[in-house]
Amino acid sequence: MLRSAEACGDSSGYFLPVLSGILLGISFPSYPVIRFELLAWIALVPLLICLHGDLSFKRYFNRVYSTMLIFCAIALWWVSLATLPGGLLTIIAQAFFSTVPLLLFFVLKKYRGYRFALFSLPFLWVAWEWLYIRQDLSFGWLVFGNSQAQLNPMIQYADIAGVWGVSFWLMCFNVIVVDLWFRFKYRKKVFVHAVSLVSMIVLPLGYTLLVFSDHDLRHPRPVVTVSLIQPNIDPVEKWQKYSSQDIMLIYLGLTDRAMSQNSVDLVLWPETAIPFRILDEKNRSYYEFLKSRIRQWGGSLLSGYSDIVYYTEAEVSGEEFLYKFNPEEKRYYQTFNASMLITEGGDALPQIYRKMKLVPFAERVPYMEYAPWMDNFTLSLAGISSWGKGSDKTIMEFITDSGATVKTSNVICYESIFPGLVAEFVKRGAEFLTVVTNDGWYAKSYGPYQHAAIARFRCIENRRSMARCANTGVSQFIDKYGRVYADIPWWERRFLTAEVERNDMMTFYTRYPNLVPQTATGFSGILLLIAFFGRHKSGDNDR
C-alpha cells in the first residue's frame, strides 16, 4: 500500500481512490446473504492516504470524485431500473454532493495541514450529511452510518446518537487508522492509536450487552395484532394486466383470508394500494363499500392511496402554477401520495397522512415553488408525477378488540430514511411505526433489501417496533432492537400476521434527534474559522 500511496501523487494514481469507492459501495446493504458492512470501517483509508501529498485542486478533485462516483454507482445502480435518466442523474449528482466534506478537507489541509484536516473530517462529514438531507434537492440515502444497518450488535447506541453517531464513529475509526498508518511509516509510537481502535470496537459491543440486559426494555408491553398484505403486483405492468377492480379484488381476497385466520387489530395495505381517488366525491360509493367490508372484518385498515384536494381561486391566488386545473369543474386541485386509516366504527372520517418527503424529480421537482419552469424536468413513473407536498405529521388512532386506544404513525416509502421525521412522529405519541412502500420498480435488484435494512435504524433510534408493508418485497416485522422477526418472501402474493409491541418510552435520541449533527456542525464552523483566520499552514509531514 505504501508504494500505491506514493504512486497516487502522479497523474495516473487512481488505484487507491478506486479501491475506496469499491469498498464504500459494497459495504452498504445489498442482498441479505452478502455482508460486507465491516469494510466501511476502513473504506476511506486508501483515499485519505492518497490525499496526503501536495496535489493541485484539479488532481485532488478528480481523485475524490472518482471515489464517490464508483461508490454511488455500486450502491445506487438499481435506481436506473425505474428510470434510466433518473438513475444516471442520481448517481452523478449524489457523487458530486458526496465530495463536499472532502472539499472542505482540502481547504483545511491547505491552511492548517494534513493532520488538522484529518481529525476535522468526522465533524465535517456528519455536519454535511445532516445539512444535505434536510434539503428538498437531496437524495440522502447514502448516510455513511446506513452501511451498518444490518450489523445489529454494533449499532444499538443509535438510541443515543442516531445514525449520525454511527457515521461519526465510522469516520473516526477510518481517521485513526490513517493516522496510525503514517505514524508507523515515520516510525512513531502507535500504542495510543491501537488502544483507541480496539476501544472503538469494544465500546459498542459493551453498550449492546447493557441494552439487551436492560430490565425496562425487556419488560413485557402491550401488543397489537397486525396483518401485512403483499399483493405482488408489478408496478410496470400494473395497468396493462389489471383494472382498478381487479386490483381491489386482490386486496380484498387476501384480507378476507387474513381476517378469517386471526383476530386482527390493524390491516396494512402498501403504498398507493387503492388505485384511484377513493375519497373524491364521484367515488363515494366505493368508499362506502370499503367501510362496510371493514366492519365485516372487525378491525381497522391503514392503506396507501392517491388523495386529491380541491382549492378555490382565492386559495391559490398568486401561486396557480403549483396546482393543477380541472377545466370541466373549473377547480384547482393537488394530488398527494397519501395514506389513510379507516376504523371499524366506520362513521368517523378517515385519518389522513400526506407524504411530506418526496423523491426529488420522480415525485416532485425540488423548489418548483420558486422556479415553476423546473416542473418540466419531472421524471414520471407510470404517469404519476408532481405530487403535492404534505405538511401535517399525523398521529393515527384506533381501538383494539380489548378496548385499548392505540396511537401509530405511517411513513410512506422514501420517508423511512429520514431520522428526524420518524423521531418527530414518536415524540408526538406513536407507540409503534408503520411503513407502506412500493419497491417493485426495482425488479430483483438489492434496492428493496437496502431500503428495508435502513428502516431498522428507525426502530433502534426510537425503540419502536415496526410493521413494514410493501407491494412486493420487503414486507416484514422489525422489533425495537432492529431485528426482523417475521417477513414475507420476495415476489410472492401473501399475507403475514404478527404481534407488534406498543411502547411509550422516549429514548435520548428521540428527545434530541439533532444533537449530534448540530454539535458536529458547530465544531465544523469553528474549525473552518480557524483555517480561514489562522492561515497558518503546517506542513503535510508535520505529524
Side-chain angles (χ1 to χ4, degrees):
M1 182 178 283
L2 179 58
R3 291 182 179 178
S4 298
E6 293 170 346
C8 198
D10 64 43
S11 59
S12 62
Y14 281 90
F15 173 74
L16 293 182
V18 168
L19 177 59
S20 272
I22 294 172
L23 293 177
L24 280 169
I26 64 177
S27 70
F28 269 69
S30 59
Y31 297 108
V33 296
I34 300 175
R35 302 291 300 274
F36 293 131
E37 54 265 36
L38 286 175
L39 293 177
W41 292 66
I42 57 167
L44 283 166
V45 170
L47 175 64
L48 292 173
I49 289 175
C50 181
L51 300 181
H52 178 259
D54 187 16
L55 299 171
S56 68
F57 179 77
K58 180 180 179 181
R59 291 162 67 189
Y60 179 97
F61 179 80
N62 286 343
R63 283 154 177 73
V64 170
Y65 188 75
S66 297
T67 295
M68 296 306 165
L69 188 63
I70 293 169
F71 164 39
C72 294
I74 293 173
L76 297 176
W77 66 270
W78 47 268
V79 177
S80 62
L81 297 176
T83 163
L84 181 59
L88 295 175
L89 176 64
T90 297
I91 291 169
I92 293 169
Q94 180 68 31
F96 174 77
F97 287 122
S98 297
T99 66
V100 171
L102 288 164
L103 296 182
L104 295 175
F105 177 92
F106 178 84
V107 173
L108 295 181
K109 173 175 175 284
K110 179 179 179 181
Y111 290 118
R112 302 299 300 186
Y114 179 85
R115 199 162 189 243
F116 181 91
L118 185 66
F119 282 93
S120 301
L121 188 57
F123 299 99
L124 299 174
W125 194 282
V126 173
W128 173 249
E129 284 188 333
W130 179 67
L131 292 170
Y132 174 58
I133 203 173
R134 295 167 66 86
Q135 308 305 311
D136 287 348
L137 184 62
S138 74
F139 185 73
W141 200 276
L142 298 184
V143 171
F144 196 20
N146 285 342
S147 64
Q148 307 300 291
Q150 297 185 98
L151 196 59
N152 193 273
M154 296 295 289
I155 59 173
Q156 294 300 314
Y157 64 95
D159 65 356
I160 299 174
V163 69
W164 312 114
V166 179
S167 284
F168 187 81
W169 201 262
L170 289 175
M171 284 303 308
C172 287
F173 196 91
N174 276 268
V175 162
I176 294 172
V177 171
V178 172
D179 199 53
L180 182 148
W181 165 263
F182 282 110
R183 292 187 71 83
F184 181 80
K185 175 182 176 182
Y186 297 122
R187 295 182 173 83
K188 295 185 177 182
K189 295 180 180 179
V190 298
F191 177 77
V192 173
H193 290 65
V195 171
S196 298
L197 293 177
V198 172
S199 298
M200 291 189 71
I201 296 171
V202 171
L203 287 175
L205 291 172
Y207 184 77
T208 298
L209 291 175
L210 290 176
V211 166
F212 281 102
S213 62
D214 186 284
H215 175 75
D216 289 339
L217 278 174
R218 294 174 61 187
H219 184 71
R221 285 179 163 81
V223 297
V224 291
T225 305
V226 180
S227 278
L228 309 180
I229 306 300
Q230 181 171 293
N232 193 38
I233 299 172
D234 188 327
V236 179
E237 300 179 356
K238 186 173 183 177
W239 301 112
Q240 299 173 4
K241 296 177 65 175
Y242 305 96
S243 65
S244 294
Q245 184 178 5
D246 294 333
I247 293 170
M248 290 300 293
L249 287 174
I250 291 172
Y251 283 106
L252 294 171
L254 285 170
T255 307
D256 283 341
R257 290 169 53 198
M259 301 299 276
S260 68
Q261 295 183 19
N262 300 277
S263 177
V264 175
D265 297 310
L266 179 68
V267 175
L268 270 183
W269 290 1
E271 182 183 17
T272 59
I274 299 175
F276 54 91
R277 296 162 187 164
I278 194 170
L279 296 185
D280 199 2
E281 298 97 322
K282 58 189 175 186
N283 293 321
R284 189 71 185 179
S285 60
Y286 294 99
Y287 176 63
E288 294 298 332
F289 171 76
L290 183 58
K291 286 201 302 183
S292 68
R293 199 63 168 264
I294 293 170
R295 282 192 291 268
Q296 293 176 22
W297 292 332
S300 298
L301 171 68
L302 199 167
S303 174
Y305 77 109
S306 175
D307 190 29
I308 186 167
V309 178
Y310 293 99
Y311 304 88
T312 65
E313 285 190 30
E315 289 174 317
V316 305
S317 178
E319 296 183 336
E320 291 85 354
F321 58 88
L322 293 176
Y323 301 85
K324 299 172 184 177
F325 184 72
N326 186 325
E328 296 179 1
E329 300 181 3
K330 297 182 179 179
R331 290 194 293 179
Y332 289 93
Y333 68 96
Q334 277 190 327
T335 53
F336 295 86
N337 189 347
S339 59
M340 64 176 174
L341 176 68
I342 308 174
T343 58
E344 181 182 354
D347 294 330
L349 293 174
Q351 301 168 52
I352 297 172
Y353 170 69
R354 299 183 179 99
K355 190 175 183 182
M356 301 173 66
K357 299 290 187 180
L358 300 167
V359 181
F361 297 99
E363 292 186 313
R364 183 180 176 87
V365 175
Y367 307 116
M368 59 179 288
E369 58 269 33
Y370 306 110
W373 53 270
M374 290 185 66
D375 192 37
N376 296 321
F377 294 99
T378 299
L379 300 170
S380 174
L381 295 178
I384 299 172
S385 62
S386 297
W387 291 109
K389 187 177 180 180
S391 57
D392 296 325
K393 299 180 180 73
T394 306
I395 296 298
M396 299 174 172
E397 296 186 10
F398 62 95
I399 299 175
T400 66
D401 282 343
S402 63
T405 299
V406 178
K407 295 181 179 181
T408 188
S409 63
N410 184 241
V411 297
I412 302 175
C413 191
Y414 173 69
E415 292 184 314
S416 64
I417 73 166
F418 292 89
L421 177 65
V422 177
E424 187 63 31
F425 281 120
V426 174
K427 198 179 295 185
R428 292 186 176 210
E431 298 172 291
F432 70 99
L433 305 172
T434 66
V435 174
V436 295
T437 187
N438 180 10
D439 293 333
W441 302 103
Y442 309 112
K444 294 186 177 181
S445 72
Y446 50 70
Y449 288 112
Q450 192 176 87
H451 190 192
I454 293 172
R456 299 184 188 186
F457 261 110
R458 308 294 84 85
C459 299
I460 298 171
E461 288 165 344
N462 302 284
R463 293 302 172 200
R464 290 295 187 272
S465 297
M466 177 185 290
R468 187 179 193 275
C469 184
N471 166 53
T472 180
V474 180
S475 297
Q476 56 190 201
F477 290 97
I478 309 171
D479 71 10
K480 61 191 173 190
Y481 302 106
R483 302 174 301 188
V484 176
Y485 61 94
D487 61 2
I488 301 177
W490 206 16
W491 293 96
E492 289 190 21
R493 180 172 295 171
R494 285 179 55 178
F495 64 87
L496 178 66
T497 302
E499 290 184 338
V500 178
E501 181 187 80
R502 295 163 51 198
N503 190 348
D504 61 1
M505 71 177 296
M506 293 286 172
T507 66
F508 184 87
Y509 173 80
T510 303
R511 294 194 298 269
Y512 309 104
N514 296 321
L515 180 61
V516 168
Q518 285 177 342
T519 302
T521 303
F523 271 100
S524 296
I526 293 170
L527 294 167
L528 290 170
L529 287 174
I530 292 172
F532 283 123
F533 290 102
R535 292 184 177 270
H536 167 68
K537 178 179 177 182
S538 300
D540 274 332
N541 293 323
D542 180 16
R543 309 203 55 81

